[in-house]
């Protein structure tokens, strides 16, 4: 039983070369999914390619209000970037719900995304925030929405030789606020039964001018519920609008029954969580608009 | 307040010195089961059945044997037949025939994960590879994991040779109901007919695992002369020795078992899964062999506590007197007969109350799940759950405070318990009075919050123990015992020895010795160690004092009868000889000074606990948050209060986990779907408030320092304390555990 080869290249091109030359090779970020899956025998990659030695792969770059988060950035490190915390608190919170402190000191959002679990916590928050990712591959670099990466449980849309170099978040819009909540039976160390990410923009009078609502663990991949967002836009987030939003959320759920929750419970909780998440995002957006005013 | 007037004060007993094994453990130097390495050791691996129920038509191991690096392969065919009889385990005796089949399947597998073959090889990777080369020809059989389905006529029968025990007439057809056990007193039907209120209900519980962090692991080494050694983590190395000897047909004295440090057991490490297999592999390979379980193996193949279905009718008079009870429960015993939880369950049901007319019937039902094994107060939390919920309902109907209701019925000194033991200095009423007086009980509740009260008791035990006390040349003291230290017992033993000898705690060092270095000691379980082994330590220390008095008399040229033992010295008038002085001269006064006590003490007393649980329900999601929890317990006397409080807190958390989220989840194919800590939802630290442990000290007069066992009682009350709090918060009596968010949500929706 040959043990997998281990590579720790220093450049993005080397990673692409190694990946392109060996379809059984896997990228290693924090390893909190990869190593667990290797040890359980679920996967047996021929080679493991560590991203952490590549210059610029760890840390958050702030460029004119946009954020470029390197693929090797541990979730806890996101909290060190005050601008990011101020702009996208929901994303930072979502990434910092994963596992435990020890897990988060290793785990990355890129790994969370590319592991392609329907229940991945940071993904609905990223999708709600309109995040994109930069993908490097044999054909060069391309930038795609985060939502385009997961293709089903454990599957991504990445082509052979491709990997995610960084995740990008736009500047926070004026009057914007985001949030993420998940439902788990315990307080931590659990996988989301349902997750809801929300990003809102409120006008000066409190009218919602734009909204994005994304759900985790209710379908094979993260779901961006456009009908739910549409139910909010133009409203002042009154009860009637929230009811329509909740209804749209329920309608968008296509969950399964499994050990973590029944389909019916998941659908019901998606609506409850979406409502609560909207309320947090609203508060953040309002505090934003009042502080600007 | 609750202290009896004869409360003695002690120098060390009741203080909180640092435990002697602490530094070694927190610095990672302590050697636990999976850490041990022997020179030339081979790595073993076990092939486990993917099917919950199947006949083994044949096993072809030839390709595995041919793999380079493989040194031995064993299957059920390598085990000697005819192992029989029982071996005292920790809390429950073990039937050898089934203990052997549990280690390795013969012609059938009875649960997913049942061992079918094992290999030993030069590396773990080679051993794993060899497992893939073993071809097992299974005839897959229909399976059953549910208690009631297992009793349905026409369903799969696990064992052709198991006929229900305990029936008036011996049945002629085999059954999955392996055992019926009943306890009847008075006339339950008549009493229920005459009761003012009768609560009738059904309660269900899921199997739960002990959840110890350290996996089962051992190294076994067989020698050509027929002797063998085992290094393992266990609650009872003497029973590892006896079980391995019994299963393999070796003499008991030919096996020496070295106990390593233990990372949790809770009853689950009072049996063998690996040791006989490793010994057989070692015999074939001629080298030491290690076997260790992975977490998935632990969930699939080591014994959980039984799930249960319980039907109860409990009657009360207008003043709250419990007048009659009719209780029938069925425990999910798993794949193999021999579980004893039904006996202890019957005897524990109602064990702390005077119910003159009662009928309690228990059944053990075999299913295609891992065979159940002891878990903290085995058999008691399940029936107590039903009884304490029923009392809660009766108290509500009668308009009586739930603590007053229990005070009216609880046993008092001089009463007889369910086992027929007349009880002496029990502090049940004192514990309940303290619960009522505790500020928690009067504290206001917030919105969506509820408060639950429940009690629980466990019989405790004495059991055989051996301990030796000897003087080192400089007068420092060695205590040698045969009980693995799970919860701080080295500290407690050192304190009791030092207290008796009148010396400093630090002067005493305690060793947990192997099976050849100290006499027989029943395992660390049954809440017996501080009581029984502690008593042996005290008696050995007293014998050493007698010897030292004689030696001092020789040294002083006086009569031993005139010598007093005071503050760690032999005293005669103005003259004083310290232990160091006596030790220094021992070569001239008769040689080394040491004494051993080998005892099987009676005089143990049960434990009793009363718990208060406050929890908050999120009405939109069904989530519960335990916001405050207080556990009061009659502990006899706490030798080292930290470890007594730790037992109370730990037991409470395990019971809360059982109530809230823990459960085995099987899929349709009979595969365990949550065989890991991610989805087997034990509480994590942030789920729990600080659990306040309140020790009520009503000393046991039959123990030199007043000890009653404390380890098991605290897991008994929480199940009902939690369910009663949910009842209080929501108005819903939910009798099915776990009280997970989706279940509570569904019930809240249905009630709307
Ligand atoms: C105890 C525990 C608790 C957990 N709790 C949670 C939880 O609460 N919520 C949750 O969402 N997850 C949880 N997880 C899962 C895991 O921690 C997260 O998914 C984490 O974000 C994965 O990141 P990583 O950097 O460790 O990924 P890795 O394990 O390094 O990689 C995961 C997968 O993605 C691939 N990959 C990694 N980076 C890239 C990249 N840049 N480009 C392309 N492919 C890449 C890898 O090849 C691998 O297939 C938990 C895991 C553990 C062990």
């Amino acid at each position: 039983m040959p043990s997998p080869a281990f590579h720790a290249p220093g450049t993005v091109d080397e990673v692409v070369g190694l990946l392109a030359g060996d379809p059984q090779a896997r990228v290693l970020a924090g390893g909190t999914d990869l190593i667990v899956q290797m040890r359980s025998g679920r996967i047996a990659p021929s080679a493991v390619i560590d991203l952490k030695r590549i210059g610029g792969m760890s840390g958050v770059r702030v460029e004119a209000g946009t954020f470029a988060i390197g693929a090797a950035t541990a979730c806890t490190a996101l909290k060190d970037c005050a601008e990011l915390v101020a702009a996208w608190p929901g994303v930072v919170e979502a990434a910092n719900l994963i596992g435990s402190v020890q897990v988060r000191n290793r785990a990355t959002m890129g790994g969370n995304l590319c592991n392609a679990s329907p229940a991945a916590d940071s993904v609905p928050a990223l999708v709600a925030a309109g995040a994109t990712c930069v993908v490097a591959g044999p054909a060069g670099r391309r930038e795609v929405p985060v939502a385009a990466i997961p293709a089903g449980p454990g599957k991504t849309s990445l082509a052979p030789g491709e990997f995610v170099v960084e995740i990008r978040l736009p500047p926070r819009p004026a009057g914007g606020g985001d949030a993420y909540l998940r439902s788990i039976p315990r307080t931590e160390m659990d996988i989301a039964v349902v997750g809801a990410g929300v990003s809102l923009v409120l006008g000066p009078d409190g009218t919602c001018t734009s909204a994005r609502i994304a759900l985790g663990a209710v379908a094979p991949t993260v779901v961006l519920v456009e009908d739910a967002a549409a139910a909010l836009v133009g409203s002042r987030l009154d009860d009637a609008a929230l009811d329509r939003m909740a209804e749209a959320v329920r309608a968008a759920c296509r969950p399964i029954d499994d050990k973590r929750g029944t389909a019916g419970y998941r659908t019901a909780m998606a609506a409850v969580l979406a409502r609560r998440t909207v309320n947090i995002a609203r508060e953040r957006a309002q505090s934003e608009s009042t502080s600007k005013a | 307040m609750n202290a009896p007037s004869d409360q003695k004060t002690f120098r060390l007993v009741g203080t909180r010195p640092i435990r002697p094994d602490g530094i070694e453990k927190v610095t990672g130097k302590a050697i636990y089961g999976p850490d041990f390495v022997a020179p030339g050791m081979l790595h073993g691996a076990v092939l486990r059945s993917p099917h919950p129920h199947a006949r083994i038509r044949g096993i072809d191991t030839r390709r595995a044997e041919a793999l380079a690096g493989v040194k031995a392969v064993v299957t059920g065919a390598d085990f000697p037949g005819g192992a029989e009889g029982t071996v005292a385990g920790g809390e429950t005796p073990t039937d050898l025939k089934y203990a052997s089949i549990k280690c390795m399947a013969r012609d059938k597998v009875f649960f997913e994960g049942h061992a079918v073959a094992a290999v030993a090889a030069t590396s773990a990777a080679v051993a794993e590879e060899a497992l893939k080369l073993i071809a097992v020809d299974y005839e897959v059989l229909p399976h059953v994991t549910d208690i009631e389905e297992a009793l349905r006529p026409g369903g799969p029968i696990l064992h052709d040779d198991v006929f229900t025990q305990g029936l008036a007439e011996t049945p002629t057809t085999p059954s999955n109901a392996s055992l019926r056990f009943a306890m009847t007193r008075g006339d339950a039907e008549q009493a229920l007919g005459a009761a003012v209120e009768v609560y009738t209900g059904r309660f269900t519980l899921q199997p739960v695992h002990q959840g110890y962090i350290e996996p089962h692991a051992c190294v076994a080494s067989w020698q050509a002369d027929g002797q063998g050694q085992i290094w393992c983590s266990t609650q009872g190395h003497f029973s590892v020795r006896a079980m391995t000897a019994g299963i393999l047909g070796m003499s008991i004295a030919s096996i020496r078992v070295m106990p390593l440090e233990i990372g949790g057991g809770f009853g689950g490490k009072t049996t063998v899964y690996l040791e006989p297999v490793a010994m057989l592999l070692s015999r074939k390979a001629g080298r030491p062999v290690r076997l260790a379980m992975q977490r998935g193996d632990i969930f699939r193949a080591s014994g959980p506590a039984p799930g249960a279905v319980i039907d109860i009718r409990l009657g009360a008079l207008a003043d709250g007197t419990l007048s009659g009870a009719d209780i029938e429960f069925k425990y999910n015993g798993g794949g193999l007969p021999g579980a004893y939880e039904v006996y202890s369950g019957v005897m524990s049901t109602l064990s702390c109350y005077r119910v003159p007319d009662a009928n309690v019937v228990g059944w053990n039902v075999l299913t295609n799940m891992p065979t159940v094994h002891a878990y903290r107060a085995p058999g008691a939390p399940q029936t107590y759950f039903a009884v304490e919920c029923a009392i809660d309902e009766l108290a509500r109907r009668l308009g009586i405070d739930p603590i007053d209701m229990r005070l009216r019925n609880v046993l008092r000194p001089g009463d007889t318990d369910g086992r027929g033991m007349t009880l002496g200095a029990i502090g049940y009423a004192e514990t309940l009075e303290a619960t009522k007086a505790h500020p928690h009980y009067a504290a206001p509740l917030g919105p969506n919050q509820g408060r639950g009260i429940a009690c629980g008791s466990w019989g405790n035990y004495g059991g055989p123990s051996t301990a030796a006390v000897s003087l080192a040349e400089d007068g420092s003291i060695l205590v040698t015992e045969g009980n693995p230290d799970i919860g701080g017992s080295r500290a407690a033993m050192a304190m009791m020895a030092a207290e008796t000898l009148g010396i400093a705690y630090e002067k005493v060092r305690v060793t947990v010795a192997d099976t050849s270095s100290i006499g027989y000691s029943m395992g660390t379980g049954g809440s017996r160690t501080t009581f029984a082994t502690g008593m042996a330590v005290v008696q050995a220390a007293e014998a050493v004092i007698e010897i030292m008095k004689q030696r001092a008399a020789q040294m002083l040229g006086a009569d031993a009868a005139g010598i007093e033992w005071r503050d760690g010295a032999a005293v005669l008038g103005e003259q004083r000889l310290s232990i160091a002085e006596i030790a220094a001269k021992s070569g001239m006064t008769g040689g080394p000074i040491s004494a051993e006590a080998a005892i099987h003490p009676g005089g143990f007393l049960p434990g009793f606990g009363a718990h208060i649980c406050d929890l908050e329900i999120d009405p939109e999601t069904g989530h519960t948050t335990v916001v405050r929890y207080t556990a009061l317990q009659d502990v006899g006397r706490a030798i080292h209060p930290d470890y007594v409080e730790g037992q109370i807190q730990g037991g409470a958390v395990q019971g809360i986990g059982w109530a809230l989220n823990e459960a085995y989840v099987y899929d349709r194919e009979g595969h365990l779907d949550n065989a890991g800590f991610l989805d087997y939802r034990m509480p994590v630290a942030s789920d729990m408030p600080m659990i306040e442990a309140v020790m009520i000290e009503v000393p046991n007069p039959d123990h030199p320092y007043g000890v009653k066992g404390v380890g098991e009682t605290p897991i008994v009350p929480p199940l009902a304390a939690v369910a009663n709090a949910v009842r209080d918060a929501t108005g819903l009596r939910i009798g099915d555990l776990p009280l997970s968010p989706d279940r509570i949500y569904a019930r809240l929706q249905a009630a709307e």
Side-chain angles (χ1 to χ4, degrees), chain A residues 26-27 29-34 51 99 108 111-112 114 120-121 164 182 190:
Chain A
R26 289 291 191 105
V27 161
T32 61
D33 280 315
L34 189 76
L51 300 181
T108 65
N112 200 222
C114 297
D121 278 307
V164 172
R182 67 169 176 179
D190 233 328

Side-chain angles (χ1 to χ4, degrees), chain A residues 75-151:
Chain A
C75 293
T76 36
L78 300 175
K79 295 194 287 184
D80 297 338
C81 178
E83 290 115 307
L84 179 66
V85 174
W88 296 107
V91 170
V92 176
E93 280 167 7
N96 283 283
L97 283 176
I98 293 173
S100 61
V101 174
Q102 293 93 328
V103 171
R104 295 192 288 272
N105 282 342
R106 304 293 295 179
T108 65
M109 290 201 292
N112 200 222
L113 176 64
C114 297
N115 185 57
S117 159
D121 278 307
S122 69
V123 176
L126 286 168
V127 170
T132 59
C133 53
V134 176
V135 174
R141 295 196 180 205
R142 60 192 178 103
E143 187 168 345
V144 293
V146 159
I149 299 291

Side-chain angles (χ1 to χ4, degrees), chain B residues 268-284:
Chain B
K269 289 183 185 153
T270 56
T271 187
V272 292
Y273 296 102
L274 302 174
E275 289 81 356
V277 181
M279 189 63 87
L280 273 184
L281 285 168
S282 175
R283 188 163 84 189
K284 274 201 170 177

